[in-house]
Amino acid sequence: MRSLLDQRGDEAEDLLAWVRTQPPTPTLIVEAVSRWVDSFTEEKLNGIRFISANPLLISGLTGRDEQPRVGAGLSLLADELGRLLPRRSPEAIVRLRMALLSINAAVAAAAATDAPDSAVVGAARRTARLLTHDLVADGERDG
């Protein structure tokens, strides 16, 4: 389990490093969130399910007051991308974070269904795209 958390932490940190090398435009929000959500595979869903079902185990691995590296990396990524929002508001920040966490929401929503893993991943990807495109469009509507 620790290796899964470390792997996802590495992936979040790598994505953050990549974002910092890109031109700072609102469309980077769409691309970065898509890269994050697209990195999820059906195989990684089992890890998310396990983490969701065992929060005490996860806190034991990371320390009581410490979040897993993946969570810290995603927070930094959300902060970095939040600076690119055309209309930065508390609601827009929450919507951006929701897009990054769309895979977690899809896993939770599918828990009481017989949806195959491919549908869960597909729903997360579509939701993330819709949220990020809407965030970028907010600025275009104003412009």
Side-chain angles (χ1 to χ4, degrees):
M1 181 47 48
R2 180 70 160 187
S3 64
L4 173 66
L5 291 173
D6 286 342
Q7 176 190 4
R8 294 308 289 165
D10 290 345
E11 291 170 2
E13 290 165 5
D14 290 347
L15 181 57
L16 177 61
W18 176 82
V19 163
R20 289 177 172 162
T21 67
Q22 303 304 304
T25 65
T27 58
L28 181 57
I29 296 168
V30 175
E31 190 169 351
V33 171
S34 291
R35 282 177 176 244
W36 177 251
V37 176
D38 288 348
S39 73
F40 280 91
T41 61
E42 295 173 31
E43 293 78 36
K44 290 178 183 176
L45 290 182
N46 287 331
I48 293 171
R49 288 181 182 111
F50 184 83
I51 289 168
S52 297
N54 296 287
L56 292 177
L57 176 63
I58 301 309
S59 68
L61 290 173
T62 59
R64 184 173 303 270
D65 298 326
E66 182 183 340
Q67 65 177 327
R69 264 184 51 224
V70 64
L74 283 178
S75 287
L76 290 172
L77 179 62
D79 291 345
E80 191 81 20
L81 294 175
R83 291 191 256 293
L84 304 175
L85 287 166
R87 292 182 65 202
R88 188 177 166 91
S89 68
E91 180 185 326
I93 297 294
V94 170
R95 288 167 41 212
L96 172 61
R97 289 176 176 263
M98 288 172 64
L100 285 166
L101 297 173
S102 64
I103 194 74
N104 302 65
V107 166
T113 73
D114 59 354
D117 287 349
S118 59
V120 175
V121 172
R125 288 178 178 157
R126 180 166 175 78
T127 299
R129 276 195 307 276
L130 290 169
L131 282 167
T132 55
H133 283 287
D134 187 57
L135 285 167
V136 172
D138 279 352
E140 292 170 0
R141 286 189 287 266
D142 290 342

